[in-house]
């Protein structure tokens, strides 16, 4: 393998706790992390190193599971096991709590902003997915509660340019939702994984989606003409030693990164010669001991091609550079 | 846990506790690398209390040394436990107690898998899936009343 992952920096981000998730701001200059210490930390570059700019405390009573930036970069949403989602507004270099979204019966597992910035989705162990509308006054209103999953919903992700939402669940399925007469409905259920689907993400065009699972595989789904007809066109099996907790599809380079319970970070590249209906992905780089414990999340920088952040149960964040050999 | 309600399994079979382990000379020698072995893992979990009987998991044969597999070099531990009856509603709690005991006792590098002995419980698959889901285990351990029950199972008694 000529491609390689080189470590740029390792940060003890959430000491004595888990770091559950990291998210880059839309302009790629800030990284938000969250964890079992109930805190959200904002990291920025100072000179050559990433340093903590702000710590957001007092927002949550329990673990902060995931964070998401609004497309404009001025808001940050945090989903917590305390059953609430906090919306933080960026003010110069600081953040203030704007509002708290309540309603889920128990742990909120994920939050995601639609590309327009007018919609927000949350999902929970209560098996539901909620869609919230944001108005000009920064008021949030729940417009729909969808109960299409039969178990704990782990992840929600929006399509990059359409108002289409996807969710992944402990029930092994993926659901795709679309708005119909002011109501969001599940329009497709994607079956194929044989255990919990932990995460999913769309590619740059939104025509394909990658999902990862406790069944130790990654699946690539493609939309075929017809009413939301998604089919699995590729399964990556045999690469991951334990549960695959997260997946990230780089919108700049097309590289696919995975976070695994075997402590490794892996990067896959698509074979250019293969047919798009039968894509072939090969392992381009892997760091088998990327962290000393489970890797929970991987995230590509949206502006700087090849810059990857990962985080772990050890509380660490690692920043990597994925270099391709031309 | 029982608090006056009827016990699910009122007359469990009680098994003999194993004898204390004898330390070998090399184990007492601080200069010799001593990998963690099955018996050490078993010693960590055998005295966990059953949620409804004043007995240990070893005495109820819920845990046995032959169902403990440790691979020190690969940092993996797997434990199979056998509920006393196939419909035992305490199975998840027992599994969680074993998991928490090992999480607290072992170095962070270990991957700990706790599951039901195949074929010994009606909801084996569902219980195993829940015990393997670290997010749900983490959420459960933030629940103070559940944590209290787990801690009770893990507290050592003088017997």
């Amino acid at each position: 393998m000529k491609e390689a992952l080189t470590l740029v920096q390792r940060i003890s981000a959430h000491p004595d706790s888990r770091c559950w998730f990291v998210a880059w701001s839309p302009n790629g200059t800030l990284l938000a992390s969250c964890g079992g210490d109930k805190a959200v930390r904002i990291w920025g570059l100072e000179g050559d190193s990433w340093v903590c700019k702000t710590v957001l405390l007092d927002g949550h009573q329990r673990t902060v599971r995931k964070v998401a930036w609004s497309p404009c970069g001025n808001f940050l949403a945090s989903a917590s096991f305390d059953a609430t989602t906090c919306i933080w507004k960026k003010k110069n270099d600081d953040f203030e709590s704007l509002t708290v979204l309540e309603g889920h019966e128990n742990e909120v597992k994920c939050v995601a902003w639609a590309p327009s910035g007018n919609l927000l989705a949350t999902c929970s162990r209560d098996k539901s997915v909620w869609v919230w509308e944001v108005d000009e006054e920064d008021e949030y209103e729940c417009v729909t509660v969808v109960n299409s999953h039969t178990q704990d919903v782990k992840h929600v992700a929006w399509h990059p340019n359409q108002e289409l939402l996807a969710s992944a669940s402990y029930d092994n399925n993926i659901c795709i939702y679309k708005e119909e007469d002011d109501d969001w409905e599940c329009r497709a259920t994607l079956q194929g994984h044989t255990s919990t689907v932990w995460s999913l993400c769309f590619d740059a065009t939104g025509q394909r989606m990658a999902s990862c699972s406790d069944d130790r595989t990654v699946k690539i789904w493609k939309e075929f003409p017809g009413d939301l007809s998604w089919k699995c066109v590729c399964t990556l099996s045999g690469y991951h030693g334990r549960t695959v907790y997260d997946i990230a599809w780089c919108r700049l380079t097309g590289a696919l990164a995975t976070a695994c319970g075997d402590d490794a970070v892996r990067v896959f590249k698509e074979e250019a010669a293969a047919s798009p209906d039968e894509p072939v992905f090969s392992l381009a780089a892997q760091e088998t001991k990327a962290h000393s414990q489970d890797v929970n999340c991987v995230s590509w920088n949206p502006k700087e091609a090849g810059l990857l952040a990962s985080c772990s149960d050890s509380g660490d964040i690692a920043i990597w550079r994925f270099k391709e050999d031309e | 846990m029982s608090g006056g309600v009827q016990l699910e399994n009122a007359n469990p079979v009680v098994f003999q506790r194993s004898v204390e382990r004898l330390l070998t000379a090399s184990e007492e020698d601080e200069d010799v690398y001593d990998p963690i072995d099955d018996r050490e893992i078993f010693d960590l979990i055998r005295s966990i209390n059953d949620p409804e009987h004043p007995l240990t998991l070893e005495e109820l044969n819920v845990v046995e040394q032959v169902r403990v597999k440790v691979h020190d070099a690969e940092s993996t531990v797997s434990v199979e436990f056998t509920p006393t009856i196939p419909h035992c509603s305490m199975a998840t709690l027992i599994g969680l107690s074993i998991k928490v005991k090992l999480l607290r006792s072992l170095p962070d590098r270990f991957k700990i898998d706790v599951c039901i002995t195949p074929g010994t419980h009606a909801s084996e698959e569902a219980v195993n899936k829940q015990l393997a889901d670290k997010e749900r285990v983490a959420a459960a351990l933030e629940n103070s009343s559940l944590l209290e029950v787990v801690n009770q199972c893990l507290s050592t008694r003088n017997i």
Side-chain angles (χ1 to χ4, degrees), chain B residues 2-3 34 42 103 119 128 144 146:
Chain B
S2 44
D34 179 20
F42 182 63
L103 284 170
N128 288 347
S144 54
L146 182 60

Side-chain angles (χ1 to χ4, degrees), chain A residues 218-234:
Chain A
V218 164
K219 283 184 184 287
I220 310 291
W221 309 80
K222 185 174 183 289
E223 189 177 14
F224 284 88
D227 193 28
L228 294 179
S229 150
W230 290 78
K231 290 189 181 104
C232 177
V233 290
C234 176

Side-chain angles (χ1 to χ4, degrees), chain A residues 270-286:
Chain A
E270 188 172 0
E271 304 280 346
S275 144
D277 284 355
E278 289 172 50
V280 176
F281 285 79
S282 55
L283 186 66
Q286 71 172 328

Side-chain angles (χ1 to χ4, degrees), chain A residues 175-203:
Chain A
C175 284
I176 312 249
Y177 312 81
K178 211 175 170 176
E179 194 179 7
E180 187 94 10
D181 303 326
D182 294 331
D183 217 11
W184 287 78
E185 285 177 1
C186 174
R187 299 282 297 278
T189 302
L190 279 50
Q191 294 174 319
H193 281 296
T194 55
S195 190
T196 304
V197 187
W198 278 95
S199 184
L200 50 83
C201 63
F202 288 92
D203 72 354

Side-chain angles (χ1 to χ4, degrees), chain A residues 18 20 36 61-63 65-66 81 107 109 125 151-152 154 170-172 194-196 198 214 242-243 245 261-263 292-296 313, chain B residues 73-77 99 103 107-114 125-144:
Chain A
R18 269 194 173 105
W20 273 114
Q61 311 302 311
R62 291 178 58 187
T63 285
R65 179 63 180 90
K66 278 175 193 165
F81 284 0
E107 295 98 86
K109 297 292 179 76
R125 193 166 71 94
Q151 293 287 342
D152 189 356
K154 299 295 197 185
Y170 188 88
D171 70 9
N172 309 353
T194 55
S195 190
T196 304
W198 278 95
D214 179 52
R242 293 180 71 87
T243 304
Y245 287 111
D262 64 7
D263 307 345
S292 61
Q293 295 181 54
D294 294 9
V295 189
N296 291 323
D313 275 358
Chain B
E74 286 174 14
S75 303
T76 57
V77 171
K99 189 139 190 171
L103 284 170
D108 290 340
R109 65 183 165 94
F110 277 96
K111 308 284 181 193
I112 300 157
D113 294 311
V114 174
E125 211 176 311
V127 174
N128 288 347
K129 190 170 185 181
Q130 196 155 354
L131 289 172
D133 186 322
K134 68 170 184 181
E135 186 186 58
R136 289 169 71 129
V137 169
L141 296 179
E142 286 185 12
N143 174 333
S144 54

